[in-house]
Amino acid sequence: MLTINEHYLKLQASYLFSDIAKRVAAFQAAHPDVEVIKMGIGDVTNPLPQACVEAMHRAVDEMGTVSGFRGYGPEQGYEFLRKAIARNDFQARGADIRADEIFVSDGSKCDTGNIQELFATDVKIAIPDPVYPVYLDTNVMAGRTGGFKDGRYEGMVYLDSTRANSYVPELPREQVDLIYLCFPNNPTGSTITREQLRVWVDFARENRALILFDAAYEAFIRDPGLPHSIYEIEGAQEVAVEFRSYSKSAGFTGTRCAFTVVPRACRAFDSRGNKQLIHPLWNRRHSTKFNGVSYPVQRAAEATYSSEGKAQCEALINGYLANARIIRQGITEIGFHAVGGENAPYVWIETQKDSWEFFDLLLNKAGVVCTPGAGFGKCGQGYIRLSAFNSEANVIEAMARIKKALA
Ligand SMILES: *Cc1c(COP(=O)(O)O)cnc(C)c1O
């Protein structure tokens, strides 16, 4: 008899986006004349930077020639891309990361989900609340939690991000082994300072723990004082793995390219307490279970580091940040407490009522779709997330409607 992995049965069905779609469809059917503006999505809307399009075209043409054809590439990524990443994303910021510490992949979603395969089942996991659901669900699948009770999985340590701590969680009071952090944050748009990040790095060092640092929104940082990489913090190389993606920085959500940084010095322990390096384990996992990102896509990712590519990506992000500013200003003007939107494409808004109730209010009175904060965890109740991934005209129109509906 073939039995299933019963941990999958613990997973809470994610009704969030299907619930949103259902409510929007019902509203649209009742009000066919209203043009609904969708500000709920965490997906980019602008086309690819021209430099990336051209690089991809050139690479496809190369593949169609005898001399330029390439079959399987290195699983870890082509040297040209790994070198460009190490130089531009890390060394240029004073972080001593080498090309052979970069693992190119088809997405941070997969990487953040796959990395936990390297660790024992009984490790203690700390996860932020509200959270990007991938961190949580992949650990549930792996059997690292108990059942779901009162909105949370048993056995997990939740790191509350609330107004009281400015949406940067405090250190856990108990021993934890694996810590997920994401800054700039999805869904709150909050950021972490160097000093605050240093506290986490020191904690991981003292507690023989490891930090999984998701920097998917690093490119949105405009405040020059904020760290772009955890490796800007001294001592982080031994205790942190970092995830980066071209999805939000270059509009690659449909193109697919990302990378994970596993420094040579990064360590965990075996059951006898002996130090074990993570780099060879991840290298083994990656080369056994993954066969590399396509050559044209890696050339497109490389093009984000050319001078034209850098300027085009920056213009792309500046557009979204301008939208975020309009959202944040508009919502603050009518008296709501909000964070994010300054170094991130998301604005996190305290609603003073149930998340879904506020969702319905915005939909019915303004024809605007948001994401109810409760969908990201218990601490998201009483909040909504507005996303800046839209056209400027739509954002301006949406905020005018919201002001009229709520003021
Ligand atoms: C969008 C996003 C990513 C990127 O995921 P990809 O699989 O690379 O598209 C990673 N982490 C967070 C928190 C995100 O919101």
Side-chain angles (χ1 to χ4, degrees), residues 171 175 199-209 239 267:
L171 294 176
Q175 167 69 32
V199 170
W200 281 97
V201 168
D202 291 345
F203 176 85
R205 296 181 67 89
E206 282 156 25
N207 290 276
R208 299 179 136 201
V239 297
R267 91 293 175 263

Side-chain angles (χ1 to χ4, degrees), residues 107-109 132 135 182 186 214 216-217 245 247-248 256 258:
S108 285
K109 184 189 204 173
Y132 179 59
Y135 315 152
C182 173
N186 178 13
D214 186 344
Y217 295 95
S245 173
S247 282
K248 316 298 166 26
R256 312 304 307 143

Side-chain angles (χ1 to χ4, degrees), residues 162-236:
T162 62
R163 189 171 175 177
N165 58 27
S166 301
Y167 310 95
V168 177
E170 286 131 40
L171 294 176
R173 287 193 195 89
E174 59 203 287
Q175 167 69 32
V176 296
D177 308 306
L178 194 59
I179 302 158
Y180 290 78
L181 294 177
C182 173
F183 290 104
N185 189 261
N186 178 13
T188 68
S190 64
T191 52
I192 194 163
T193 64
R194 258 193 193 82
E195 293 64 38
Q196 287 171 318
L197 194 50
R198 185 169 299 124
V199 170
W200 281 97
V201 168
D202 291 345
F203 176 85
R205 296 181 67 89
E206 282 156 25
N207 290 276
R208 299 179 136 201
L210 183 79
I211 298 171
L212 301 177
F213 191 73
D214 186 344
Y217 295 95
E218 161 278 330
F220 290 77
I221 294 174
R222 287 295 174 271
D223 183 337
L226 294 173
H228 287 243
S229 165
I230 196 166
Y231 306 117
E232 292 176 43
I233 310 300
E234 204 190 321

Side-chain angles (χ1 to χ4, degrees), residues 7-19 22 133 136-137 140-141 148 153 356 374-376:
H7 300 305
Y8 273 66
L9 303 180
K10 295 177 196 161
L11 288 167
Q12 297 304 294
S14 176
Y15 295 120
L16 180 63
F17 289 97
S18 60
D19 266 11
K22 259 184 235 158
L136 190 55
D137 288 356
V140 176
M141 291 168 174
F148 192 73
Y153 288 98
W356 279 107
F376 298 104

Side-chain angles (χ1 to χ4, degrees), residues 42-44 105-112 131-135 181-187 214-217 243-248 252-254 256-259 345-346 385 389:
D43 192 2
V44 296
S105 78
D106 60 354
S108 285
K109 184 189 204 173
C110 327
D111 288 345
T112 53
V131 73
Y132 179 59
V134 178
Y135 315 152
L181 294 177
C182 173
F183 290 104
N185 189 261
N186 178 13
D214 186 344
Y217 295 95
F243 303 94
R244 293 275 188 107
S245 173
Y246 298 95
S247 282
K248 316 298 166 26
F252 273 41
T253 52
R256 312 304 307 143
C257 196
F259 61 89
Y346 302 120
R385 186 190 75 178
F389 294 129

Side-chain angles (χ1 to χ4, degrees), residues 312-344:
Q312 290 160 6
C313 289
E314 184 160 316
L316 201 64
I317 293 165
N318 282 344
Y320 294 132
L321 284 171
N323 288 346
R325 231 174 348 261
I326 294 168
I327 298 169
R328 170 102 183 239
Q329 260 170 17
I331 208 77
T332 308
E333 269 166 33
I334 52 172
F336 286 89
H337 162 75
V339 284
E342 285 168 339
N343 300 283

